[in-house]
Amino acid sequence: MANANLIEMAKALGKALQTDDRYLAFRKAADANDNDKTLQDMIGKFNLLRLDLDNEHSKEQPDTDRMAALQKQAQEIYGEIMQNPSMVTYQAVRAEFEQLLDSINRVIAMSAAGQDPDSYDPNAQSACSGNCSACGGCH
């Protein structure tokens, strides 16, 4: 029965998450990106350049000059994408939302490791590299 209760608590957390300002800002920015025709055109062009570059690279005798030109074009369009106002906003709010998710995951990981979840300090600096293979556990 405890399992069902934990699932219900996780669902409640999910519902609360969807009302958080960081989540709402993230969704709004994602929708703005989706509806930004200029941005979507640049992303489409970038994807086509990457596909063209991958196709050239996979040839038995790739044209290195063509690959260099395609790579340069892809880098230029990527720079334009990342400077687009919709993308700038999206990147900023996504980082805030991911920080929230990271904090939630850390509390759960601490709890699963037998630590007191109330001891979690969201303002403490973490030395976590994200690679758990050499980790002794979250602190």
Side-chain angles (χ1 to χ4, degrees), residues 42 45-46 49 69-83:
M42 286 189 291
K45 185 176 178 182
F46 175 80
L49 284 168
L70 289 170
Q71 183 67 37
K72 183 178 183 223
Q73 286 179 299
Q75 288 173 340
E76 288 171 1
I77 193 86
Y78 181 79
E80 291 176 29
I81 289 168
M82 297 312 290
Q83 291 177 6

Side-chain angles (χ1 to χ4, degrees), residues 23-45:
Y23 171 82
L24 296 172
F26 172 70
R27 292 300 328 143
K28 182 178 177 183
D31 290 343
N33 273 3
D34 290 344
N35 294 317
D36 185 328
K37 181 167 175 18
T38 301
L39 177 61
Q40 290 305 312
D41 288 347
M42 286 189 291
I43 291 171
K45 185 176 178 182

Side-chain angles (χ1 to χ4, degrees), residues 58-70:
S58 65
K59 289 181 179 177
E60 194 171 306
Q61 300 230 333
D63 181 338
T64 55
D65 290 338
R66 184 166 188 274
M67 286 179 57
L70 289 170

